[in-house]
Amino acid sequence: MVHRTQLLLDQVDAYQRVGQWNSALELCNKVFRESWGSRRLDDLIEVVLKTAFLYSAKGERVLALEHFELTLAIAEQVQDSHREGRALNGLGVMHQGAGEIDIAKNFYSRARVAARNAGDNLTGGDVSVNLGILANIRGEFADALDQYKKALESYTRVGHRNRIARVLNNMGMLYTDLGEFEEAEDALERGLHISEAVQDLLTEGIIQANRAELFVATNRLQEARSCCDEAFEVASKIDEPDLMTDVLKCYGIVYRHTGKPHLAESYLRQAINMAAERGNPLLEAEATRELSLVFRSDDRNRDSLHALYR
């Protein structure tokens, strides 16, 4: 890859870490035009793939799918296993986000084979993370933890600190669900320190939101509220609606546990609406379930049923 192109794509990654999606997309378009003019196929494939991930992060599902599918078609034609694996993994993420779990799993299986053929530890780790998420959704917690540990090994092998922070976040969430709170706090603290060190605002915000849920589970409600505030501050700085939706959900959970059902309902309704607008059924379902708990604790059983079956 031409040195100038690599520098520009590195800047795309820097924009992505702080949630400046529009700036990243503008730079991708610039690289695409330059690469098209010089007919540099390798650069063209890479910039199309990066554009796909950017559209995915922005919630532009149709555009993301088009770019992932284009990358896959070209990568298969030129036998580029590295980018084939990344495109397949991206397609899996898109279908998983739409609740199409079986389709997602098929893409992840193909991505794992392509990553192995390419000797690509990063994509192999990404696939392990996503398979871990699927196992977690199915309630197969031991398998989920095993996949996360495989991902952590892959990322540590190549020293990718951003991804290490993200998988530690996933492990922390799983440990919280399992009631293993010391392990959860340790994983989330380690992930938070790394994300702060590498200035990965998005991961920092996600971890703060998940620390809030951990502190609710351990009845440390003031700390939970502080984590919500930290996550909200991050989400307000970057263009990441899914993070903001998750933060609103967290505020709802905190207010439910602190005996403020009206505030809890307000935040959870905002979260539900944002998730629906983004086409994120999993996050919408999580917020809806929390809203039903608000109604149940407030003796509004009819509203609770309506929230769940609307």
Side-chain angles (χ1 to χ4, degrees):
M1 186 175 292
V2 176
H3 181 62
R4 169 179 163 74
T5 301
Q6 186 58 62
L7 289 175
L8 291 174
L9 291 177
D10 288 344
Q11 183 59 47
V12 169
D13 293 338
Y15 282 139
Q16 190 169 0
R17 283 194 296 272
V18 295
Q20 295 182 18
W21 312 116
N22 291 332
S23 296
L25 281 168
E26 289 175 8
L27 194 50
C28 275
N29 289 333
K30 178 179 180 179
V31 176
F32 182 87
R33 290 192 300 270
E34 290 183 3
S35 301
W36 182 265
S38 59
R39 296 295 190 268
R40 297 193 300 268
L41 181 60
D42 188 64
D43 293 356
L44 283 168
I45 301 174
E46 183 64 24
V47 75
V48 171
L49 181 56
K50 282 189 178 291
T51 302
F53 280 110
L54 289 169
Y55 279 129
S56 174
K58 282 175 61 65
E60 301 281 355
R61 176 178 167 78
V62 174
L63 288 170
L65 285 171
E66 288 177 354
H67 282 75
F68 279 129
E69 289 166 355
L70 176 59
T71 303
L72 178 60
I74 299 172
E76 288 178 334
Q77 186 173 2
V78 300
Q79 298 182 325
D80 184 341
S81 297
H82 171 62
R83 293 188 178 92
E84 178 186 350
R86 290 164 63 198
L88 287 165
N89 183 61
L91 286 165
V93 171
M94 296 304 300
H95 287 286
Q96 179 179 324
E100 299 163 351
I101 303 303
D102 290 338
I103 297 174
K105 188 173 182 181
N106 178 263
F107 277 117
Y108 292 146
S109 297
R110 293 169 59 192
R112 172 163 278 176
V113 172
R116 188 179 299 121
N117 290 339
D120 183 354
N121 282 307
L122 284 182
T123 301
D126 292 345
V127 172
S128 292
V129 168
N130 292 324
L131 288 172
I133 293 170
L134 290 184
N136 196 11
I137 291 171
R138 296 192 301 268
E140 299 168 0
F141 301 126
D143 184 38
L145 186 57
D146 183 58
Q147 294 289 350
Y148 292 153
K149 287 180 177 178
K150 287 180 181 177
L152 183 59
E153 290 175 4
S154 295
Y155 296 153
T156 301
R157 196 174 298 128
V158 294
H160 201 294
R161 299 177 73 195
N162 298 77
R163 282 177 165 88
I164 290 171
R166 291 171 201 163
V167 75
L168 285 170
N169 169 68
N170 286 66
M171 292 173 71
M173 292 167 62
L174 179 56
Y175 282 130
T176 298
D177 291 340
L178 293 173
E180 299 177 15
F181 299 128
E182 288 186 10
E183 290 83 353
E185 186 163 0
D186 178 66
L188 292 172
E189 284 285 348
R190 288 165 59 199
L192 181 62
H193 289 320
I194 293 171
S195 63
E196 290 175 338
V198 298
Q199 298 182 320
D200 185 344
L201 283 178
L202 176 57
T203 302
E204 179 186 341
I206 292 170
I207 292 175
Q208 289 288 22
N210 289 321
R211 289 179 75 225
E213 294 198 32
L214 166 65
F215 291 141
V216 166
T218 53
N219 202 34
R220 295 153 66 181
L221 299 179
Q222 187 57 50
E223 290 175 86
R225 172 60 195 269
S226 296
C227 287
C228 283
D229 292 342
E230 293 286 346
F232 183 84
E233 183 176 346
V234 171
S236 299
K237 290 179 181 177
I238 63 177
D239 180 18
E240 181 41 68
D242 280 345
L243 174 57
M244 182 60 79
T245 303
D246 202 34
V247 172
L248 293 171
K249 183 196 74 174
C250 286
Y251 272 123
I253 293 171
V254 170
Y255 283 128
R256 175 169 72 84
H257 283 268
T258 52
K260 299 175 181 177
H262 297 300
L263 281 173
E265 179 180 351
S266 174
Y267 279 100
L268 289 169
R269 286 194 183 280
Q270 291 180 67
I272 291 167
N273 290 336
M274 286 187 69
E277 290 172 4
R278 289 272 291 173
N280 190 330
L282 296 178
L283 190 50
E284 183 181 0
E286 290 175 7
T288 299
R289 182 179 66 84
E290 291 296 334
L291 182 60
S292 73
L293 294 175
V294 172
F295 292 147
R296 195 176 305 167
S297 64
D298 204 29
D299 291 327
R300 294 165 61 185
N301 291 323
R302 180 176 295 180
D303 288 334
S304 177
L305 289 171
H306 178 69
L308 287 171
Y309 298 104
R310 63 192 180 92

